[in-house]
Amino acid sequence: MARDVGVFAISVAAEMTSLQVQNLRVYERRGLLDPARTPGGSRLYSPDDIDRLHRIRDLLAAGLNLAGIAAVLALEEENALLRARLERHERR
């Protein structure tokens, strides 16, 4: 199974991450994640989304607010892209 394919309903994702369903909706509205949608509009969370929700939960527990979490997640994504670029460059 691809890690970026949505397979978990919102209630399952909430249970897997020990978060409330309404919080998952807030995180989506704030741009912290973007779950897939069924043709009927239901959210489907992928394993990657579940990992991201765990990271959000951990950052909340560390005392960050949602704006801080958005900044951390953006920096982590940028760091991962730069590392991948560096690895490609080093293989040449």
Side-chain angles (χ1 to χ4, degrees), residues 58-90:
D58 294 346
L59 292 169
L60 285 166
L64 275 73
N65 63 20
L66 295 183
I69 291 171
V72 167
L73 294 175
L75 288 170
E76 288 176 347
E77 288 174 10
E78 182 180 0
N79 189 20
L81 290 172
L82 290 171
R83 284 182 185 275
R85 247 172 69 190
L86 180 60
E87 287 175 12
R88 283 193 308 274
H89 180 73
E90 288 175 346

Side-chain angles (χ1 to χ4, degrees), residues 14 17 21 27 38 40-42 55-57 60-61 68 73 78 86 89:
T17 57
V21 168
Y27 305 154
T38 66
S42 298
R55 184 71 177 128
I56 291 168
R57 185 196 61 206
L60 285 166
L73 294 175
E78 182 180 0
L86 180 60
H89 180 73

Side-chain angles (χ1 to χ4, degrees), residues 1-8 35-36 44-50:
M1 169 174 70
R3 291 203 43 85
D4 61 346
V5 175
V7 292
F8 304 110
L44 288 177
Y45 293 83
S46 69
D48 284 346
D49 291 330
I50 299 300

